[in-house]
Amino acid sequence: MENAQPEKGTSYILHNSRLELNDPGFSKIVLQKIQQERNRKIKIQLWIRYSLIMVSLLLVLLFVILSSNIDLGQFSSLLSNEDSAQLQGLFGYFILPLLLLLGFKRLLDTRIRN
Amino acid sequence: MELFYIRQIIEGDISHFPYFVETYKDMAFAIAYRITNNREDAEEIVQDAFVKAYRSLAKFRQDSKFSTWLFRIVVNLALTKIKRNEKKIASDIEISELPDNMIESVEAMYRGLSETEQRTLINTALDEMGREDRLLLTLYYLNENSIDEIKDITSISPDNIKMKLHRARKKMYGRLNKRLEPAIKETV
């Protein structure tokens, strides 16, 4: 915003003290910093959003496990018991959702990184 | 137009931000420089001020001009910077104020100088003055901010601003007179 030179008075005297930022790349630097700031903000928002999703999924998983009456002690009994139905139950109710959860987390991590 | 740009930026379109940088960078730089008296520091402060302005843009209440709000950020950042760097700078050199009746003759002498001489003289005079005086003179006479805007930028009361400006102006003329007097004597 360039002002015309005043004709007299203090403004006239001070006109020559006008300073200019003679750096052609200044706007670019500021914009780069703002872009970084923006990316940081977006990342934080994504992390918050995804953390909430992960917590919700974990709660759902916990609910499924608790409501299906699976005895977590089955892990140890598996070693001695070859009952495939029990193994199926454990896989269906516990391991499969866990794998899905881990896969989903990996997907989200990749998206945040990009 | 500025309000429209601000809304766009808040909504995520930062392509309008360079408009604000280009429009206000020199004035912001002048303010930062008059407080810090250091080019590099002033440049860094202006960069940080724009980033901070972007970060807080949603909080901008629009009851003042964007420039006023931005300059307040610049002043705060500059004051923080000098407080951090400053060891213990002695109070400003005592500068005598010039009586009103001599102001015109100083102005006449000043007019007789070349533009380069004028620039050197006024910048030296300002450098020798206190930082608050320099800042107020820059805001009022150079950036053409109103007393109310200066109040928002510096948090000094309007009455105090008027009084300080009056004294700063006289001090500036006193400083100029001191530097111009020997030159005048030489030519006589």
Side-chain angles (χ1 to χ4, degrees), chain A residues 7-14 16-21 23 26-27 33-35 37-38, chain B residues 12 14 17 22 25-26 33-34 39 43 47 54-55 107 110-111 118-119 141-142 144 169:
Chain A
E7 282 174 16
K8 59 177 200 161
T10 313
S11 299
Y12 165 78
I13 301 263
L14 277 164
N16 278 325
S17 73
R18 192 167 286 279
L19 293 164
E20 280 175 16
L21 228 169
D23 184 353
F26 185 82
S27 292
K33 281 192 171 185
I34 285 173
Q35 193 69 52
E37 175 72 22
R38 197 166 164 240
Chain B
I14 58 167
F17 204 80
E22 285 306 321
K25 70 180 165 97
D26 288 337
Y33 181 81
R34 290 300 170 210
R39 258 197 109 81
E43 206 168 303
Q47 275 183 20
Y54 166 74
R55 206 182 291 153
E107 204 178 302
Y110 182 85
R111 272 177 194 279
Q118 286 182 349
R119 185 166 295 134
Y141 290 106
L142 215 53
E144 295 179 353
R169 183 172 162 269

Side-chain angles (χ1 to χ4, degrees), chain A residues 19-44:
Chain A
L19 293 164
E20 280 175 16
L21 228 169
N22 293 320
D23 184 353
F26 185 82
S27 292
K28 213 173 162 187
I29 295 170
V30 172
L31 216 62
Q32 271 172 359
K33 281 192 171 185
I34 285 173
Q35 193 69 52
Q36 283 168 2
E37 175 72 22
R38 197 166 164 240
N39 292 344
R40 199 181 61 90
K41 232 178 181 175
I42 292 172
K43 267 189 178 178
I44 290 172

Side-chain angles (χ1 to χ4, degrees), chain B residues 183-188:
Chain B
I184 299 295
K185 275 177 193 160
E186 270 174 35
T187 54
V188 174

